[in-house]
Amino acid sequence: MKKWISLILTSTLLTAGLAGCGGGSEKEAADASDESKPLKFSISSTTSGNAYAESSKDVNNDKWVKEFEKRANVDVDLRMIPLKDFDSKMAVMYAGGDIPDVVQNVGGATDKSMSGSIEAGVFMPLDDLLNEYAPNIMKAVPKEAWAEVSYKGKIYGVPTWISNPSRRATYIRTDLLEKTGLPVPKTMDDYLNVMRAFKKLGVPAPYQARENFKYADIGFGAYDALGYQFTERDGEVVPKFYNAENMEKALTVYKTMYDEGLIQKDFATIQAPQYSENIEAGNAGIWTANAASLLDFRTKVQASVPDAKVDIISSPEGENGLKGYGLYSSVNTSLYINSKVSKEKAIRIIKLFDWMQTPEATKFFSFGIEGENYTEKDGKIDYKFPTDKAGNDEQGFRSLLRWVGDATINRERTELLPGGQDVLKALDETLADEGIGGIGFVPELESFSKNPDLASKRPDQAPKLIIDHMVKMIYGKEPITDWPKVIEEYKQKGGNDIVKEATERFKNKDGVLNQSSRNK
């Protein structure tokens, strides 16, 4: 049955590719080859949840789209897909055959939202075009990102990449640390001692925990025991929680935190809003969050505690030298060119993507229009930062039009902000030495769909079966030494099938993402 479904899907996609908007006519080729004329093309892209984009009644007549067209010498038919409907709308697009010249995906070449289109030949390989016409892109994109937009050794996508996939960081209230008289913690034992000192100061949550250990996995990275990652072990590719020794050490840390009141007693039910509220109210001493949020945390915590100092420090280092949190994917979004587009037009499209890496383009996407949004004197930018949500949404929309670039953070704007250098230092120095890698699969393993309780519901949290046992052990309802029994339960309930498929995919190099952990 599965083979028949695959054949039907492939047939549908091949038909869709033939019916797509990219016609490849002689007139199109002639028009595209004349670079004095605007490049006319169509593109579908995500709104990324941006309110400005999603409220636009006619995005193609938007001020910023028109300005972009003028600067880039293009005439674009932009079709934006709301993020919440992205997967379903992409499926409808492929089924209907109305495929634009360029398609943006959230993720890489073989993610489920691509519906097998790469395999079906709907999009063209881009290796030759990129090598000849995109020197800026080829120089900037990391090899890990190319791997995520490739299929069978050929590059099909042009990514918006993440140059630093170690994005999560450990935050600390430096003002509280100074009151304790303790040095900046380095090991897990150091961290526990700081938390104990914070408790003596009356801090309600020495470490801010959260449901499913999401943004609360400080105790797992140091022991290489992140429950959602896979690793190679004894000739097989297995979940990292198969290492009972590491898992038991990590769980012992959390049980110590729970027993001593260093995390909240109801940590297992604390959801995102309460997590944020506790931190912003000044109730947390240490927490985990994306490094890019540093300035936002400083502003909000200081609104509650004016003398608060919030900083990013190195995460606890384990016996093996590892520290930090799971590494992110190296691709945020990616672009694919319809295989029916003429070569001349494809060349112009690739050149456009490469133009997006130039200083001229970077300045426009970051700051807008000179004289209206910013001024420049002696090479220094004076930018009018937006002061309300509407302005921030509009700024975000302008950035969304840069379809190819480094999405780690907008460095140009960040370095102009008070404290912005602290954010860049955290990314470039602190996080450069930490981050836990593992083996992943795109598309995800088929055996996950058969065993939903054994599959991670999110890329950064362990499967439900595993989380349930972790919580019980921390609460003292099960002994931590029973972890080998948890592994056996996982195996018996379908884990053996998962490991078998993961191992076969790994050996066959079939959609494998293999990230190395970082350390000094």
Side-chain angles (χ1 to χ4, degrees):
M1 177 64 74
K2 187 179 297 182
K3 289 183 178 179
W4 280 107
I5 293 173
S6 177
L7 288 170
I8 292 169
L9 174 61
T10 300
S11 175
T12 300
L13 286 169
L14 285 169
T15 303
L18 292 169
C21 294
S25 67
E26 291 184 9
K27 183 178 185 304
E28 175 193 85
D31 288 344
S33 63
D34 185 353
E35 297 200 10
S36 66
K37 294 181 179 180
L39 168 65
K40 188 173 184 179
F41 73 103
S42 56
I43 180 172
S44 62
S45 70
T46 175
T47 63
S48 292
N50 179 273
Y52 182 94
E54 294 185 350
S55 64
S56 176
K57 295 181 180 178
D58 184 4
V59 73
N60 284 294
N61 281 313
D62 176 81
K63 162 188 174 180
W64 294 112
V65 173
K66 290 299 182 185
E67 185 68 24
F68 160 61
E69 289 181 321
K70 181 176 71 175
R71 291 170 183 255
N73 192 29
V74 297
D75 178 5
V76 61
D77 173 14
L78 177 58
R79 311 168 188 182
M80 299 203 79
I81 304 174
L83 182 61
K84 63 182 178 65
D85 302 323
F86 189 78
D87 285 354
S88 60
K89 295 289 186 182
M90 287 279 280
V92 169
M93 179 184 73
Y94 286 124
D98 186 19
I99 303 174
D101 298 321
V102 180
V103 172
Q104 183 188 65
N105 183 41
V106 178
T110 54
D111 286 350
K112 64 179 180 180
S113 51
M114 291 294 283
S115 300
S117 56
I118 298 295
E119 297 89 326
V122 175
F123 299 105
M124 65 175 66
L126 303 174
D127 303 73
D128 293 342
L129 294 177
L130 288 166
N131 283 319
E132 187 167 355
Y133 301 105
N136 293 312
I137 291 174
M138 295 306 291
K139 182 179 178 181
V141 177
K143 67 179 186 304
E144 293 84 1
W146 287 129
E148 292 192 46
V149 295
S150 296
Y151 175 68
K152 290 190 174 180
K154 291 286 186 179
I155 296 173
Y156 282 85
V158 182
T160 288
W161 65 93
I162 306 296
S163 61
N164 184 354
S166 180
R167 300 174 67 187
R168 290 192 184 177
T170 301
Y171 283 74
I172 194 167
R173 283 276 303 279
T174 306
D175 58 307
L176 297 177
L177 181 63
E178 290 171 350
K179 288 181 181 179
T180 69
L182 293 171
V184 175
K186 295 182 178 180
T187 66
M188 198 68 243
D189 285 341
D190 293 341
Y191 266 85
L192 289 173
N193 286 332
V194 169
M195 293 177 198
R196 291 174 180 123
F198 282 176
K199 182 183 179 183
K200 289 180 180 177
L201 291 176
V203 179
Y207 178 71
Q208 180 59 56
R210 185 172 158 187
E211 183 182 44
N212 295 325
F213 303 94
K214 188 175 177 67
Y215 287 99
D217 45 1
I218 192 171
F220 291 104
Y223 297 102
D224 201 13
L226 294 167
Y228 50 86
Q229 292 186 328
F230 281 72
T231 188
E232 187 179 14
R233 183 183 182 190
D234 298 330
E236 291 185 315
V237 174
V238 301
K240 286 190 176 180
F241 57 74
Y242 269 35
N243 189 320
E245 181 181 1
N246 287 355
M247 281 299 300
E248 289 174 15
K249 287 179 180 178
L251 289 170
T252 298
V253 167
Y254 278 92
K255 187 162 191 339
T256 298
M257 292 163 68
Y258 176 79
D259 291 343
E260 296 185 20
L262 308 180
I263 55 176
Q264 299 98 317
K265 295 298 182 184
D266 61 345
F267 80 90
T269 59
I270 293 176
Q271 298 182 1
Q274 186 182 350
Y275 158 90
S276 298
E277 290 167 6
N278 287 342
I279 294 169
E280 292 164 11
N283 293 331
I286 299 171
W287 64 93
T288 300
N290 286 345
S293 301
L294 174 59
L295 301 184
D296 189 46
F297 277 124
R298 283 180 174 174
T299 298
K300 291 179 177 178
V301 174
Q302 287 172 358
S304 301
V305 185
D307 295 331
K309 297 179 184 178
V310 176
D311 289 298
I312 289 172
I313 61 175
S314 293
S315 302
E317 183 173 335
E319 299 168 357
N320 52 9
L322 296 181
K323 56 185 174 180
Y325 307 90
L327 294 174
Y328 278 62
S329 165
S330 294
V331 170
N332 186 14
T333 59
S334 50
L335 300 166
Y336 302 84
I337 300 178
N338 194 318
S339 60
K340 302 307 174 184
V341 166
S342 71
K343 181 179 179 181
E344 292 79 7
K345 189 172 187 176
I347 290 171
R348 289 280 303 275
I349 291 171
I350 291 294
K351 286 182 175 180
L352 169 67
F353 296 162
D354 202 57
W355 170 82
M356 290 180 171
Q357 316 315 307
T358 63
E360 171 198 357
T362 298
K363 192 177 294 183
F364 167 66
F365 292 121
S366 297
F367 303 119
I369 302 170
E370 186 172 7
E372 181 177 331
N373 306 105
Y374 74 96
T375 57
E376 185 173 5
K377 185 177 181 181
D378 299 328
K380 293 185 178 181
I381 300 286
D382 183 9
Y383 177 54
K384 298 177 183 177
F385 279 92
T387 57
D388 57 15
K389 184 180 184 303
N392 276 300
D393 289 338
E394 185 174 348
Q395 173 183 265
F397 174 75
R398 187 176 66 240
S399 296
L400 280 180
L401 295 176
R402 190 187 190 195
W403 300 311
V404 181
D406 186 351
T408 304
I409 195 168
N410 187 296
R411 303 185 72 90
E412 291 74 24
R413 286 200 297 261
T414 301
E415 64 186 10
L416 298 182
L417 291 167
Q421 292 298 331
D422 291 344
V423 179
L424 297 179
K425 183 178 180 181
L427 286 167
D428 296 341
E429 298 180 19
T430 305
L431 297 187
D433 290 330
E434 59 182 69
I436 311 301
I439 296 171
F441 300 93
V442 179
E444 67 180 22
L445 301 174
E446 291 184 11
S447 48
F448 280 166
S449 60
K450 301 176 185 177
N451 305 283
D453 283 352
L454 307 187
S456 298
K457 298 293 187 293
R458 299 286 184 273
D460 57 354
Q461 68 184 56
K464 182 180 184 301
L465 173 72
I466 300 304
I467 289 176
D468 287 348
H469 282 292
M470 289 161 62
V471 170
K472 289 176 182 177
M473 289 178 179
I474 293 167
Y475 278 136
K477 295 181 178 179
E478 294 178 359
I480 291 175
T481 52
D482 272 0
W483 193 258
K485 295 180 181 179
V486 176
I487 298 172
E488 287 304 314
E489 181 183 355
Y490 175 88
K491 290 178 178 180
Q492 295 303 316
K493 289 186 174 181
N496 284 330
D497 293 336
I498 292 172
V499 168
K500 180 181 178 182
E501 183 187 358
T503 302
E504 289 176 354
R505 288 270 299 268
F506 183 78
K507 289 180 177 178
N508 294 330
K509 298 180 180 179
D510 181 8
V512 177
L513 301 177
N514 194 359
Q515 294 175 297
S516 299
S517 297
R518 296 173 164 187
N519 55 18
K520 291 184 178 180

